[in-house]
């Protein structure tokens, strides 16, 4: 998913790996420091950075399975001593886009109110150069997360589970989390930046008070959620924060996303990597790595909800 918005950070200049790690180690949330030690050890094998200020043309062909995908299934992590630390908590997972969106251009191009302005209902998302669609990636990671979080006792709800022909629109995605009175909402994405740009970043809601949008009450808890997710993602996957947005912190604040603007509960987006970069694509199309991504995001959510 590539976006261009009013508070979108400009692309950052490429830096040497040692300097990037030094900046990130001081700027990223404290919980990520251990993860950086892991990253420094694994090097390129753990991931890199990626997102662009130029919107990538969405895929216009049916999603196809990548030949590099494997069939590893979600495997719930055992909870300690049989405890269910998230009992009574509601987590909403928002798998970005929908595999069927490309068949419904008129529906997904319809403009909806996002508070600050009007924007298209949804997009098709991006894909790897080999044709593995972002919408397939997001559903797979979301389903793996569900298995992990339910094992921890959470009630998990999806905005869509491949069970509808298109959408939902971004305003409806926000409303699903609101109606569920979710304790945390995470929207799963992968980016469509330029080749050579790598890494993940977590998008936080900026303060918006316009029209139907009033993010003031959720800005602080959403940042806390985003910091926990970013820290756990680094530690579990070994991936580095984006080298093109966020200044090496892995955190970006935006005011142009309806899914965040219209939320009344803590919510963040995560761009797990850049599908248009061959090294990031090799990770994103690996079932083993997607399991790590799901685990990292889930552990961030658990950490946030347990305080």
């Amino acid at each position: 998913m590539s976006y261009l918005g009013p508070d979108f950070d400009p692309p950052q200049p490429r830096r040497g790996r040692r300097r990037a790690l030094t900046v990130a180690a001081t700027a990223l949330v404290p919980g990520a420091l251990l993860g950086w030690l892991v990253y420094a050890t694994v090097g390129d094998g753990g991931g890199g950075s990626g997102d662009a200020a130029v919107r990538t043309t969405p895929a216009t062909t049916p999603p196809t399975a990548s030949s590099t995908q494997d069939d590893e299934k979600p495997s719930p992590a055992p909870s300690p001593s049989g405890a269910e630390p998230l009992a009574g908590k509601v987590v909403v997972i928002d798998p970005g886009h929908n595999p069927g969106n490309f068949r419904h251009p008129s529906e997904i191009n319809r403009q909806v109110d996002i508070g600050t302005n009007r924007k298209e209902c949804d997009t098709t998302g991006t894909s790897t150069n080999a044709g593995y669609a972002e919408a397939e990636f997001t559903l797979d990671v979301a389903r793996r997360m569900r298995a992990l979080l339910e094992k921890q006792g959470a009630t998990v709800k999806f905005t869509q589970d491949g069970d509808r022909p298109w959408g939902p629109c971004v305003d409806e995605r926000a409303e699903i989390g609101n109606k569920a009175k979710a304790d945390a909402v995470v929207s799963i994405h992968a980016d469509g930046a330029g080749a050579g740009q790598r890494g993940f970043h977590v998008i936080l809601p900026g303060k918006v008070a316009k029209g139907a949008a009033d993010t003031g009450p959720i800005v602080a808890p959403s940042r806390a959620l985003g910091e926990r997710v970013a820290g756990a993602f680094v530690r579990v996957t070994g991936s580095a924060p984006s080298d093109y947005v966020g200044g090496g912190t892995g955190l970006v604040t935006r005011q142009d996303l309806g899914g965040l603007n219209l939320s009344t509960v803590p919510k963040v987006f995560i761009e797990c990597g850049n599908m248009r970069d061959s090294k990031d694509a090799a990770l994103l199309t690996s079932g083993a790595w997607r399991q790590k991504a799901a685990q990292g995001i889930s552990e961030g959510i658990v950490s946030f909800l347990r305080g």
Side-chain angles (χ1 to χ4, degrees):
M1 175 183 69
S2 293
Y3 288 114
L4 181 59
D7 60 346
F8 190 81
D9 294 346
Q12 304 295 316
R14 297 301 299 269
R15 292 167 285 201
R17 184 173 298 278
R18 185 175 301 276
R19 182 165 175 239
L21 293 179
T22 301
V23 172
T26 57
L28 194 62
V29 293
L33 294 181
L34 180 59
W36 272 115
L37 297 178
V38 176
Y39 174 73
T41 302
V42 300
D44 281 340
S49 13
D51 194 318
V54 179
R55 187 180 181 97
T56 302
T57 303
T60 55
T61 55
T64 57
S66 168
S67 60
T68 58
Q69 280 186 269
D70 59 50
D71 293 326
E72 181 180 331
K73 302 299 182 183
S75 54
S79 55
S81 305
E84 292 190 338
L86 299 189
K89 299 294 185 179
V90 177
V91 177
V92 171
I93 303 175
D94 177 28
H97 313 290
N98 183 313
N101 275 358
F102 75 96
R103 298 188 184 93
H104 299 271
S106 61
E107 289 92 340
I108 67 169
N109 288 327
R110 176 173 62 85
Q111 298 287 297
V112 298
D113 183 8
I114 65 167
T116 52
N117 60 290
R118 297 184 69 80
K119 202 168 185 178
E120 62 266 31
C121 157
D122 200 1
T123 70
T124 61
T126 188
S127 68
T128 66
N129 293 331
Y132 180 48
E134 179 186 0
E136 296 290 348
F137 168 83
T138 64
L139 273 173
D140 184 76
V141 172
R143 289 164 178 164
R144 293 169 187 269
M145 287 175 59
R146 176 168 58 195
L148 293 165
L149 291 167
E150 287 182 343
K151 188 68 175 179
Q152 298 289 313
T155 297
V156 179
K157 299 184 178 183
F158 278 23
T159 57
Q160 60 93 13
D161 194 7
D163 52 355
R164 51 185 294 164
W166 58 273
C169 296
V170 294
D171 55 345
E172 184 182 349
R173 289 174 186 266
E175 187 62 19
I176 290 170
N178 297 344
K179 287 183 176 179
K181 293 180 170 48
D183 296 287
V185 184
V186 177
S187 186
I188 312 300
H189 288 271
D191 208 9
Q197 296 176 311
R198 299 191 61 196
F200 80 93
H201 63 278
V202 177
I203 304 175
L204 314 174
K207 191 169 183 179
V208 175
K210 185 177 180 181
D214 181 10
T215 61
I218 70 161
V219 166
S222 295
R223 171 167 283 275
L225 171 61
E227 288 175 346
R228 298 296 180 95
V229 168
F233 197 83
V234 167
R235 178 174 53 79
V236 176
T237 68
S239 292
S242 169
D243 61 4
Y244 54 95
V245 292
T249 67
L251 302 173
V252 177
T253 300
R254 298 189 45 183
Q255 298 174 326
D256 64 314
L257 303 180
L260 296 179
N261 287 357
L262 301 175
S263 182
T264 59
V265 294
K267 182 174 181 177
V268 299
F269 282 42
I270 181 168
E271 299 277 5
C272 296
N274 177 20
M275 302 198 94
R276 295 294 184 171
D277 176 80
S278 60
K279 291 182 179 179
D280 269 12
L283 300 176
L284 297 166
T285 54
S286 162
W289 189 89
R290 292 195 300 274
Q291 185 66 24
K292 290 182 180 180
Q295 181 182 342
I297 299 168
S298 298
E299 288 189 5
I301 294 171
V302 173
S303 176
F304 168 73
L305 294 179
R306 298 188 72 181

